[in-house]
Amino acid sequence: MKWIGRRQSDNMEDRRGLSGGKAVVGGGIIGIIILLINVFGGENAQQLNPILEQLNQESTPTETRALTPEEVKEGEFVKTLLADNEDIWTKIFEENNLTFEAPKLVLFNGQVQTACGGASSASGPFYCPGDKVIYMDMSFFEELRTRFGAEGGDFAVAYVLAHEFGHHIQTLLGTSDKVRQLQENRSETEGNKLSVALELQADFYAGLWTHYNEKQNAILEPGDIEEALSAANAVGDDAIQKKMQGQVVPDSFTHGTSEQRMYWFNRGFKTGDIRKGDTFAGVD
């Protein structure tokens, strides 16, 4: 995507040069389990708290290091993506007579403390409504490519960030609170269906952002949409379950199938109409 030379957000905090505090114990299968629970954490990030707090058992000295040139460039890219989301959603909110409040974004390595509890890089990128912050460990994208078969590329990162930004939009609009209230009176299976609808709407919002950003900034290059769709395909519940456990359990889905995730991203991108993002229609 075309990103060099455009505005960069000042709402990002880069903690990748810092290490220390509580070190999350439990790579390998524990990390895989966490990843399965929380790929693109969204509003479900809080479900990780008991697991992660239990794992946070070893302390390490605080250290600092200089970022590599590659990390510096990654940070500039993410700042540009964040600025693009801020600008586009400010515009969409103004068009609908709403007041926009920008989230912050934290880049980290290894583990991080949030208002939603402790988290590790194994949890994948996520949004915490408690502090209205998006958290990302960039190593996730290499994992997405090598372990789950996504194409990779800069627009895969753009899609993931736009998806998490979509969860912030749901928080601002009150959608997330309504879903949590409804889930309190539902069975686990019914609650999962609501979680799926919430995640698919975030995918729709990612597509909507892409539509507006392409129209306003002409950001797309050949293959960008394919990169986004490849990432969406790789993180479908069915794709992950089939790859990691050899079978698919639809009642346990919390994020949607690969087909659903690609559909709703495409719907947002092609329609450019926020009114077309009702993913809750038909959910009992």
Side-chain angles (χ1 to χ4, degrees):
M1 65 176 287
K2 303 171 185 176
W3 66 273
I4 296 176
R6 298 212 311 276
R7 183 178 83 84
Q8 295 181 4
S9 174
D10 58 4
N11 279 322
M12 190 186 89
E13 179 183 350
D14 197 335
R15 300 182 190 172
R16 291 175 297 168
L18 304 175
S19 64
K22 295 291 188 178
V24 175
V25 180
I29 190 64
I30 297 294
I32 292 172
I33 291 171
I34 293 173
L35 184 62
L36 285 172
I37 293 173
N38 202 49
V39 171
F40 292 14
E43 296 300 316
N44 295 319
Q46 296 170 87
Q47 296 175 6
L48 289 178
N49 294 353
I51 300 173
L52 292 168
E53 293 300 334
Q54 184 178 0
L55 293 176
N56 287 345
Q57 296 172 354
E58 295 185 2
S59 296
T60 56
T62 299
E63 299 177 355
T64 60
R65 64 171 178 81
L67 297 178
T68 66
E70 181 181 27
E71 287 174 323
V72 171
K73 186 175 181 180
E74 281 180 342
E76 292 174 349
F77 175 51
V78 173
K79 285 181 180 178
T80 304
L81 292 177
L82 187 59
D84 285 346
N85 277 274
E86 292 167 352
D87 294 344
I88 295 304
W89 282 106
T90 296
K91 177 181 176 63
I92 294 173
F93 269 52
E94 287 176 349
E95 290 175 351
N96 290 275
N97 298 314
L98 298 169
T99 301
F100 178 72
E101 174 190 354
K104 290 189 178 298
L105 186 147
V106 170
L107 291 183
F108 71 97
N109 286 132
Q111 59 272 336
V112 67
Q113 291 296 320
T114 82
C116 298
S120 80
S121 57
S123 67
F126 65 95
Y127 171 75
C128 173
D131 52 20
K132 295 180 179 176
V133 176
I134 298 167
Y135 294 90
M136 292 175 59
D137 185 326
M138 298 301 289
S139 65
F140 168 80
F141 297 99
E142 181 64 15
E143 184 95 350
L144 191 65
R145 185 182 66 82
T146 59
R147 180 172 292 182
F148 296 99
E151 290 182 10
D154 55 9
F155 213 77
V157 180
Y159 157 65
V160 172
L161 177 52
H163 172 97
E164 298 306 333
F165 208 100
H167 285 305
H168 177 68
I169 300 304
Q170 291 170 326
T171 295
L172 296 182
L173 296 178
T175 309
S176 301
D177 282 342
K178 291 178 182 177
V179 167
R180 282 194 292 270
Q181 291 170 5
L182 289 171
Q183 286 175 322
E184 290 177 359
N185 300 315
R186 304 293 179 94
S187 67
E188 182 178 354
T189 299
E190 292 173 333
N192 285 344
K193 290 180 180 178
L194 288 166
S195 292
V196 167
L198 197 70
E199 295 296 331
L200 294 179
Q201 189 177 67
D203 283 330
F204 171 84
Y205 286 155
L208 184 68
W209 168 79
T210 304
H211 173 94
Y212 271 76
N213 206 13
E214 167 61 10
K215 185 176 180 181
Q216 179 172 301
N217 298 315
I219 63 165
L220 294 180
E221 294 180 315
D224 281 345
I225 295 301
E226 288 75 15
E227 289 175 3
L229 291 174
S230 177
N233 179 69
V235 294
D237 283 321
D238 53 341
I240 292 176
Q241 289 187 358
K242 186 174 182 180
K243 185 175 185 64
M244 303 307 298
Q245 62 192 36
Q247 60 179 340
V248 175
V249 185
D251 284 347
S252 69
F253 289 174
T254 58
H255 289 68
T257 66
S258 296
E259 182 179 359
Q260 288 173 318
R261 301 199 72 163
M262 290 188 292
Y263 170 83
W264 282 103
F265 173 86
N266 254 328
R267 185 172 174 85
F269 174 60
K270 291 180 178 179
T271 66
D273 186 349
I274 195 171
R275 296 169 297 181
K276 301 295 186 181
D278 182 11
T279 56
F280 295 91
V283 178
D284 296 329

